[in-house]
Amino acid sequence: MKIAVFCGSSRGNDERFAEAAAEFAGYMASQGIDLVFGGGNVGLMGVVADAVLAGGREVYGVIPESLRDRELAHQGLTRLDVVASMHERKALMADMADAFVALPGGPGTMDEIFEAWTWGQLGYHNKPCAFYNVDGYYDELLAFIRKMSGAGFLKPEYAEMVIVEQQPEALISALKNYQPPACKWS
């Protein structure tokens, strides 16, 4: 299994984010799971990659040429693909991964997980999408997702297809047991 992890190119202002990222990535590795990620050696991206590598698993990075130097491309990966654009990055990561997980991050993290989730809703893939809700980081976003559903802009089954967990064990278990909703086009 390969999990695409979307997370910050920054560590954030609370060390708990980096600790949780390392804990999740270490658990992934202990379960024989490989990593697909944005290819950077900075922020939570670097923390996750280093922890999976330290656990003896494969790590596949995908980074746009324009960000290779700015995000300090990780040099110790199993494989680093350099692509022309963010669109190519997301498409290649989606092809490589069996599941998608958002750790704490900013707008780029949201863009990546929301695109993967949207593709799942549209039936382009049947892969699980999840939020690792470290210390309630995503609570307000999850409330907004419920609001979208309640307002009729998101079908309840699509709101419910997103996995939300606060512990690595529960999150990996939910990913492995994921059943996609049946596509309903109405």
Side-chain angles (χ1 to χ4, degrees), residues 13-106:
N13 60 10
D14 185 336
E15 190 56 28
R16 177 67 185 127
F17 298 136
E19 292 167 0
E23 178 185 21
F24 176 72
Y27 187 73
M28 277 178 54
S30 76
Q31 297 303 298
I33 299 171
D34 296 329
L35 171 67
V36 176
F37 83 120
N41 191 32
V42 294
L44 296 186
M45 287 196 303
V47 170
V48 169
D50 289 343
V52 173
L53 288 166
R57 298 304 307 170
E58 307 281 311
V59 177
Y60 304 94
V62 183
I63 194 165
E65 192 171 7
S66 64
L67 295 180
R68 179 178 38 199
D69 296 327
R70 196 172 357 161
E71 287 188 356
L72 305 172
H74 200 298
Q75 299 303 308
L77 306 179
T78 306
R79 186 173 94 210
L80 178 66
D81 288 305
V82 179
V83 296
S85 69
M86 288 297 288
H87 296 293
E88 287 182 49
R89 176 195 228 178
K90 292 186 287 185
L92 182 55
M93 289 175 70
D95 286 343
M96 295 172 71
D98 300 305
F100 308 94
V101 175
L103 275 62

Side-chain angles (χ1 to χ4, degrees), residues 7-9 103-111 137-138:
C7 58
S9 60
L103 275 62
T109 302
M110 295 300 92
D111 172 58
Y137 183 79
Y138 284 115

Side-chain angles (χ1 to χ4, degrees), residues 104-148:
T109 302
M110 295 300 92
D111 172 58
E112 291 168 323
I113 192 65
F114 271 76
E115 187 163 323
W117 178 27
T118 300
W119 291 351
Q121 290 175 52
L122 296 173
Y124 293 149
H125 68 70
N126 290 317
K127 302 171 184 180
C129 296
F131 290 95
Y132 185 41
N133 195 20
V134 177
D135 291 338
Y137 183 79
Y138 284 115
D139 286 352
E140 287 83 6
L141 177 64
L142 298 168
F144 184 68
I145 290 170
R146 288 189 296 275
K147 185 174 186 173
M148 283 190 283

